[in-house]
Amino acid sequence: MRAHGYALHAPGAPLEAFDYELEAPGADEAVVRVAGCGLCHTDLAFYSGEVKTRRGLPLVLGHEVAGVVEDAGPRAAHLLGRKVIVPAVLPCGECDPCRAGLPNICARQFMPGNDGHGGFASHLKVPARDLAVLPDALRGHELADLSVIADAVTTPYQAIVRSGLKAGDLAIVVGVGGIGTYGVQIAKALGAKVIALDIDDAKLARIGTHGADFTLNVQTVDPKSIKKAVRELAQAARAPQFGWRIFEMSGTKGGQELAYGLLGPAATLSVVGFTMATLELRLSNLMAFDARCIGNWGCAPALYADAIRLVLEGKVTLRPFIEKLPLGQIQHAFEEARAGRLAQRAILVPEG
């Protein structure tokens, strides 16, 4: 099968039209016709060379994919014609970490747009065992819209589940951009009181109508007073002053420093956003507050069904936070995203 996409040939170079042959799927593989692929912060890091892809260049990027299974090996033939979400991280299911119940650190995981050609293309070939099958009726959603579930929704969903968040807890989301917008909504859907922190008034105003009980522009508050301001908001929300669940979703040095500085008694800090920046922190705060800090790489495929349900039931809203663009505009989308001029997450849709 012939695929058409846009490939990165050198870090920072313009993405170029790229035609390539997809070999027939193996017994446990599937070829997915792409309906849409979201543009993620990680793609920008691959594009710039800040993070090196595991497969060499040229490479088609993109790991937030929704589409339809168009071809499949014999052990995946039951998926033919089905609408699917391609998990951003596909574990092998057979290595020691997978057998130990730790699929996120699978030694042989496949990430589209990193380990092989990704979703900024007409088709991609992936392991089929963990494809998240969608119902025939998408409840008013377009299939392309659902591509962001593959990372922007499921990654914060896993982080929130791992944190042990329960109804009545306080969730503090630092950064309400590409993933934070969904983190807020997920925490609210699970019954938490939610405070959203950002430096952008427009983003805060938007999330204030989609799940945040309170918002705070941390750029306009004295850094030494931010924790006090959050305590006051927690009191106003009638939330506990202990056991806070703090989610760093900005992927910035400032956001990570702020999130760590919010640690308090029995708090849990979940690091979801990614940056190569180095921070200087006092780790003894974890001991002094009997707190914990955990990381989060992607989302285990077993959690996808619950995240999809939240979207299809309308408990997590996508449309105010996405913008669909023709795949041919991919270079423009990357440039706008790098400059911080995209108000919504771009979804690239193949033409034809």
Side-chain angles (χ1 to χ4, degrees), residues 23-78:
E23 295 181 3
D28 296 300
E29 293 181 318
V31 173
V32 177
R33 174 167 45 83
V34 177
C37 182
L39 171 53
C40 174
H41 181 77
T42 305
D43 293 314
L44 300 181
F46 288 149
Y47 176 81
S48 69
E50 183 182 22
V51 177
K52 188 176 180 180
T53 58
R54 288 192 285 262
R55 173 169 168 160
L57 305 179
L59 182 68
V60 175
L61 303 177
H63 58 271
E64 281 191 343
V65 181
V68 177
V69 176
E70 200 165 88
D71 194 7
R75 287 197 287 271
H78 61 286

Side-chain angles (χ1 to χ4, degrees), residues 319-338:
R319 282 184 179 157
F321 309 103
I322 59 177
E323 176 185 6
K324 292 193 287 290
L325 298 170
L327 182 58
Q329 293 184 21
I330 187 170
Q331 185 62 36
H332 171 73
F334 266 72
E335 290 171 359
E336 291 294 289
R338 292 182 74 196

